[in-house]
Amino acid sequence: MRGSDQVTGSLFSYIDLEERIPARYPLRKIRAVVNDALRSLDAEFDRLYAGEGRSSIAPERLIRASLLQILYSIRSEQQLMEQMDYNLLFRWFVGLGIDDAVWVPTVSTKNRGRLLTTDMSRKIMAAILAHREVAPLLSDDHFSIDGTLVKAWASMKSFQPKERATLGGDEGSGDAPDGSAPPTSSSDQSTTEPDPMIRPTRRSRNAEVDFRGERRSNATHASMTDLEARLFKKSPGAGAVLCFMGHSLMENRSGLIVQADLTQADGHAEHRAAIDMLHRHSPGSTRRLTLAADRGYDSADFVAELRQMVVTPHVAQKSRHSAIDGRTTRHPGYAKSQRRRKKIEEPFGWAKTVGGMAQTMYRGIERVRARFTLTMAACNMARLPKLQAA
């Protein structure tokens, strides 16, 4: 007998959200670890909020929602709120009941300066790595380092001479180069009222620009869209783009990211970030560590600083004038580190294809750094179910 296609709305629901999620769904393991990590940061959250006044959205829910946005490649807070409104899986992960109202998208944007900061992202990553089920997966002695370019939310047309970028002029906006209004003709100064039936023509803001033959550099030019973005190319054959440089420190056993940072792009950023991340991860440590890296890190100053920090530089050798000699390469651990260091490209690839870091949608180095750090923490969480199953 054929069933009926009639839809009957139910006034009450007696099924809990917990029963809707399959028992072996990967998000269950991720949610348990995230909840434990956020509980360990309870004192940190208390310091961020006043003791009196109207109750706000719980910071734990805002952070879970941000992790979901990264894990499911949701492009904006508005789309995230739409998903949380009708997606039971998202409601369960964030901690909303079936009848709870979702917050407006501006709640996340207004809390970015207080809650979704670089410092908080690093504390979230550290709390996750210190979890009782995650800590045994980590290596304490062997690490790898690398950097990648994160394209800025700015077009090449916004890369203008610094005096114009400071004044805020815009291509196609009709502003004069000095920021003043364009000259007007005698006909423009007429007091005749415009005809309301005539629709004014809008001037295109995306005007054609020919950069051929023009010399532009970070010393003379800056982006009007994001003043902290820099024009940079990482390899000789690639084109220069407005970007930032993301850095990650990976432990070699499971390939989890233990430190992340983001800086302005320049030729020395990778070396400085590597030293800073090592200091943050092992402050004052006297244990012998190993650090694997590609040949871009093969410089005498960087290698000498690593050895001064009691870190063995397992850096790939340049074809000529390498700072790595037989004292390092003769050990079998050097070859093993060189094989394991290539695994750091996997988190970078995940962050760009899934986490939305191929081109950031945030402006300003602080916001981009906070998002990059949280994205690398989410990458660790995405790999956790398989690592624990293995």
Side-chain angles (χ1 to χ4, degrees):
M1 179 178 176
R2 179 180 175 180
S4 174
D5 191 33
Q6 293 181 352
V7 178
T8 303
S10 299
L11 182 61
F12 302 103
S13 176
Y14 299 98
I15 300 179
D16 187 19
L17 278 179
E18 193 73 25
E19 301 178 9
R20 298 272 185 175
I21 311 303
R24 301 183 63 182
Y25 199 75
L27 271 186
R28 280 191 173 274
K29 179 61 67 177
I30 294 176
R31 185 174 183 266
V33 175
V34 169
N35 287 346
D36 290 342
L38 294 179
R39 274 193 291 269
S40 68
L41 297 174
D42 190 65
E44 299 289 341
F45 296 143
D46 285 339
R47 282 194 286 267
L48 296 177
Y49 291 84
E52 299 178 354
R54 187 177 62 179
S55 298
S56 65
I57 305 296
E60 294 87 349
R61 294 184 177 182
L62 292 172
I63 292 173
R64 292 193 204 103
S66 297
L67 289 174
L68 272 181
Q69 184 179 4
I70 297 171
L71 289 170
Y72 284 87
S73 307
I74 301 175
R75 293 176 294 177
S76 66
E77 277 83 4
Q78 183 175 358
Q79 291 186 352
L80 177 62
M81 295 306 108
E82 292 176 359
Q83 287 277 350
M84 287 173 54
D85 195 21
Y86 60 76
N87 193 324
L88 297 183
L89 176 66
F90 281 28
R91 282 180 171 271
W92 167 81
F93 187 88
V94 172
L96 293 174
I98 190 68
D99 297 321
D100 292 341
V102 299
W103 54 87
V104 295
T106 54
V107 171
S108 297
T109 58
K110 289 182 180 297
N111 277 273
R112 190 167 289 121
R114 172 176 58 179
L115 180 64
L116 305 177
T117 61
T118 299
D119 183 59
M120 184 55 65
S121 296
R122 288 174 178 170
K123 289 178 179 178
I124 293 171
M125 175 182 283
I128 292 173
L129 295 176
H131 193 271
R132 61 183 179 277
E133 297 183 11
V134 182
L137 302 173
L138 303 177
S139 169
D140 296 328
D141 304 313
H142 307 291
F143 303 92
S144 296
I145 190 75
D146 203 359
T148 188
L149 297 185
V150 177
K151 192 175 180 182
W153 192 248
S155 70
M156 292 298 294
K157 292 182 182 180
S158 72
F159 199 58
Q160 301 289 339
K162 285 189 174 181
E163 61 274 9
R164 183 171 184 180
T166 305
L167 292 171
D170 192 8
E171 283 293 332
S173 64
D175 294 339
D178 60 352
S180 61
T184 58
S185 63
S186 58
S187 60
D188 294 334
Q189 298 174 0
S190 172
T191 58
T192 304
E193 292 293 333
D195 189 347
M197 300 302 294
I198 299 177
R199 186 175 181 180
T201 57
R202 294 186 61 185
R203 187 166 183 174
S204 173
R205 297 187 61 187
N206 193 15
E208 294 292 335
V209 181
D210 185 9
F211 301 125
R212 182 170 297 179
E214 180 182 354
R215 295 182 61 86
R216 299 185 297 169
S217 70
N218 293 316
T220 58
H221 289 63
S223 171
M224 294 184 297
T225 306
D226 190 344
L227 291 174
E228 295 179 298
R230 293 293 180 266
L231 190 67
F232 188 76
K233 61 178 181 179
K234 198 173 182 182
S235 57
V241 294
L242 287 169
C243 60
F244 299 96
M245 185 172 286
H247 315 272
S248 291
L249 180 68
M250 180 192 75
E251 57 83 31
N252 286 356
R253 177 184 296 172
S254 302
L256 295 176
I257 302 299
V258 295
Q259 288 289 334
D261 201 356
L262 185 132
T263 62
Q264 290 181 324
D266 62 60
H268 303 282
E270 290 184 312
H271 297 177
R272 293 194 301 266
I275 299 299
D276 291 342
M277 287 189 291
L278 282 173
H279 280 303
R280 283 202 307 268
H281 185 68
S282 303
S285 175
T286 57
R287 297 177 55 187
R288 173 66 64 176
L289 308 178
T290 66
L291 183 69
D294 58 30
R295 64 186 62 186
Y297 293 83
D298 186 7
S299 69
D301 295 340
F302 180 69
V303 170
E305 191 164 1
L306 287 182
R307 286 175 173 155
Q308 188 177 1
M309 296 171 58
V310 199
V311 177
T312 303
H314 284 179
V315 179
Q317 291 179 293
K318 292 180 179 178
S319 56
R320 300 175 61 184
H321 308 296
S322 175
I324 305 298
D325 51 29
R327 291 178 299 171
T328 303
T329 58
R330 63 188 177 90
H331 296 287
Y334 175 82
K336 187 174 182 180
S337 293
Q338 286 300 300
R339 290 193 300 269
R340 294 294 297 174
R341 72 169 175 83
K342 299 176 182 178
K343 196 174 182 63
I344 200 173
E345 298 295 342
E346 296 178 10
F348 285 153
W350 187 94
K352 291 185 176 183
T353 57
V354 178
M357 294 307 299
Q359 181 175 13
T360 179
M361 297 182 69
Y362 302 94
R363 296 174 184 173
I365 191 170
E366 176 59 30
R367 290 184 176 182
V368 182
R369 181 188 291 123
R371 191 65 173 187
F372 181 79
T373 305
L374 190 63
T375 301
M376 303 314 292
C379 179
N380 288 342
M381 300 306 304
R383 299 189 61 240
L384 187 59
K386 287 187 177 180
L387 289 175
Q388 290 181 327

